[in-house]
Amino acid sequence: MVKVEEFAVEQWMDKYETTAKYNIAETCCASISIDDLRALSDDKETNPLTQLQSTKLTYGAIRGSDKLRQTLARLYSIKTPTPLPKENVLISGGAIQANFLVLYTLVGPGDHVICHYPTYQQLYSVPAALGAEVTMWKSKETDGWSLDIEELKGLIRPNTKLIIINNPQNPTGAIVPRGTLEKLVDVARESSITLFADEVYRPLFHNISPMDPEFPPSLFSFGYERTVVTGSISKAYSLAGLRVGWIASRDRSIIEACASSRDYTTISVGQIDDAVASFALAPDCIHSLLKRNIDLGRKNLEILEKFIEAHRWACDWTKPRAGTTAFIRFNKMGKPVDDVAFCERLLEQTGVMLVPGSRCFGGDEDFHGYVRIGYASETEVLEQGLEALRGFMDDGYEELPVVKKAK
């Protein structure tokens, strides 16, 4: 029987996020309502919910509505060699289901998978549970969490089936820049390896300009046939409650295979979710929605940076360039603190919720002393949470145990 490792970060979130006073572990941009969404849209006449009031709530379009798939196909066709047909997009129940379907469909016993690291645990634990051997392609914090293409070449084997990246990266907020993506595509093409990019935090770029030559386009834009990407309405678009994600691929056979696999999970995405997602991603709304969230990320990151600078005696980081998360290392006299104890005591004493890095992103081997902060919550929540954390740093931090010897 297939056994998947316990999903540490999701279990941590499930245990604490509904009771925390200051949840600054959340990875979505501050959530919005349907009324908020309509206020952001230039289309003031349309109410996606009203439109459905007289519609019978059947399963709806099994692969997603034509409108939603066409909207996404158009977004993926920007600055690409050839337009993407809507038939090459499959709607799913969030990016988490999209990721699972891609992995379940493409990977099996005897395969070798290379995975960008650190990253969302699903991207390496699921392939391992499916019988694949997984090799971590470790990003280098000393160089801005960058990836080394020459190192990747040395990881490839004759049975390497899939190379997985997460761009922007969770938990660090780093990006894989254009130059690295171009080289990655060249390497994959040479060996006919499928590339899979979890782009769920795209296009939330707040610390790099689109005019920058290293600004990362979607992996889709390079025209490589064996490319598959996933995304969702949750992180960059503030609508996690819709549970709408997607898979897009140049290779129609991948979409067909994923659709077949999905028959064993959810038949379709609900019509209401599909309609609201279509409204949010339409040209009348998407630009205002993204501006709101990029501005929020930029403003809140400045607030977090001021906290970091004021506490350099205890913490350091590589400043995120995109997304909603920062990976911060806490230490005492150069020794990493016990990050699990830190997060547990902080929550108990102040109500501030963070995510421990060693438990949720590195098991018992990596990232001792690291915590993940989600800084794209409502600004006042972040400010209040950091103020409570500041109090703990002054009265409580010195009592934390340290990791005497990292394993």
Side-chain angles (χ1 to χ4, degrees):
M1 180 178 178
V2 171
K3 179 173 177 12
V4 184
E5 289 293 324
E6 291 184 350
F7 205 157
V9 70
E10 294 302 335
Q11 291 191 357
W12 184 273
M13 297 296 289
D14 179 59
K15 185 175 182 180
Y16 297 119
E17 67 181 332
T18 59
T19 57
K21 187 175 181 180
Y22 307 111
N23 181 358
I24 52 174
E26 179 56 67
T27 58
C28 301
C29 285
S31 299
I32 58 175
S33 66
I34 302 296
D35 286 343
D36 295 332
L37 190 64
R38 293 186 66 204
L40 286 167
S41 177
D42 293 334
D43 180 3
K44 304 301 182 185
E45 303 300 320
T46 301
N47 184 329
L49 298 182
T50 301
Q51 288 184 321
L52 287 169
Q53 285 183 332
S54 60
T55 300
K56 291 184 178 181
L57 295 179
T58 65
Y59 285 112
I62 300 302
R63 297 192 179 196
S65 68
D66 284 349
K67 182 177 181 180
L68 181 54
R69 289 189 297 150
Q70 187 60 60
T71 297
L72 287 164
R74 184 179 64 250
L75 290 173
Y76 280 117
S77 296
I78 297 172
K79 296 182 179 180
T80 59
T82 56
L84 183 73
K86 70 178 187 300
E87 290 78 15
N88 286 50
V89 179
L90 177 67
I91 306 304
S92 63
I96 193 167
Q97 187 194 49
N99 290 344
F100 188 89
L101 288 173
V102 170
L103 296 169
Y104 178 82
T105 301
L106 298 183
V107 175
D111 290 332
H112 176 238
V113 172
I114 298 171
C115 186
H116 186 184
Y117 182 81
T119 192
Y120 195 51
Q121 183 186 336
Q122 179 191 35
L123 298 178
Y124 51 86
S125 286
V126 170
L130 293 170
E133 186 174 356
V134 180
T135 299
M136 302 304 191
W137 184 21
K138 296 184 178 181
S139 54
K140 295 173 171 54
E141 183 180 13
T142 54
D143 190 23
W145 297 104
S146 66
L147 290 169
D148 186 333
I149 292 293
E150 291 304 313
E151 180 181 325
L152 171 66
K153 292 177 181 178
L155 300 178
I156 292 174
R157 304 174 187 175
N159 63 333
T160 300
K161 184 74 173 291
L162 199 62
I163 299 173
I164 304 170
I165 64 169
N166 180 204
N167 194 25
Q169 185 187 33
N170 173 18
T172 69
I175 61 168
V176 183
R178 172 183 282 274
T180 302
L181 292 174
E182 290 173 342
K183 294 174 183 177
L184 172 60
V185 169
D186 290 341
V187 169
R189 182 179 281 117
E190 184 176 345
S191 300
S192 298
I193 298 170
T194 299
L195 291 178
F196 169 30
D198 175 344
E199 297 181 342
V200 73
Y201 291 95
R202 180 177 178 80
L204 202 66
F205 299 102
H206 44 68
N207 200 21
I208 182 172
S209 166
M211 304 306 294
D212 190 311
E214 285 301 291
F215 185 86
S218 170
L219 190 62
F220 225 85
S221 68
F222 297 97
Y224 178 46
E225 183 71 18
R226 294 176 179 266
T227 297
V228 57
V229 301
T230 56
S232 89
I233 204 78
S234 300
K235 308 299 184 183
Y237 300 102
S238 299
L239 295 166
L242 292 185
R243 308 312 305 135
V244 172
W246 55 83
I247 304 167
S249 180
R250 289 277 174 200
D251 187 342
R252 181 77 62 81
S253 69
I254 291 178
I255 296 298
E256 295 301 320
C258 287
S260 180
S261 297
R262 200 191 59 175
D263 289 341
Y264 287 97
T265 57
T266 55
I267 295 173
S268 63
V269 169
Q271 289 190 61
I272 295 173
D273 294 340
D274 188 304
V276 178
S278 297
F279 182 84
L281 296 177
D284 290 330
C285 188
I286 188 172
H287 304 293
S288 296
L289 179 54
L290 280 175
K291 182 180 185 306
R292 178 252 190 193
N293 288 348
I294 290 171
D295 288 347
L296 176 69
R298 187 175 291 124
K299 177 181 180 180
N300 286 8
L301 188 59
E302 290 178 0
I303 293 170
L304 179 57
E305 184 172 23
K306 289 178 181 177
F307 176 90
I308 299 293
E309 292 303 321
H311 296 83
R312 283 290 183 180
W313 54 270
C315 60
D316 62 278
W317 69 341
T318 298
K319 184 178 178 180
R321 305 191 73 184
T324 66
T325 62
F327 213 32
I328 302 169
R329 180 172 50 203
F330 284 83
N331 68 86
K332 289 170 61 178
M333 302 296 291
K335 294 181 179 179
V337 300
D338 182 328
D339 49 284
V340 176
F342 179 23
C343 291
E344 289 175 340
R345 292 187 190 181
L346 179 67
L347 184 64
E348 180 182 350
Q349 295 179 27
T350 70
V352 174
M353 181 180 175
L354 304 176
V355 174
S358 66
R359 174 171 294 184
C360 297
F361 294 98
D364 293 327
E365 298 181 359
D366 299 313
F367 308 123
H368 290 289
Y370 287 80
V371 301
R372 187 187 72 181
I373 290 182
Y375 56 83
S377 59
E378 290 86 353
T379 299
E380 58 270 24
V381 173
L382 179 66
E383 289 175 330
Q384 293 167 6
L386 291 179
E387 184 60 32
L389 176 56
R390 185 176 289 106
F392 181 85
M393 299 298 292
D394 293 337
D395 185 16
Y397 185 76
E398 285 302 316
E399 303 302 317
L400 288 175
V402 298
V403 179
K404 295 181 179 178
K405 184 177 181 181
K407 296 181 180 179

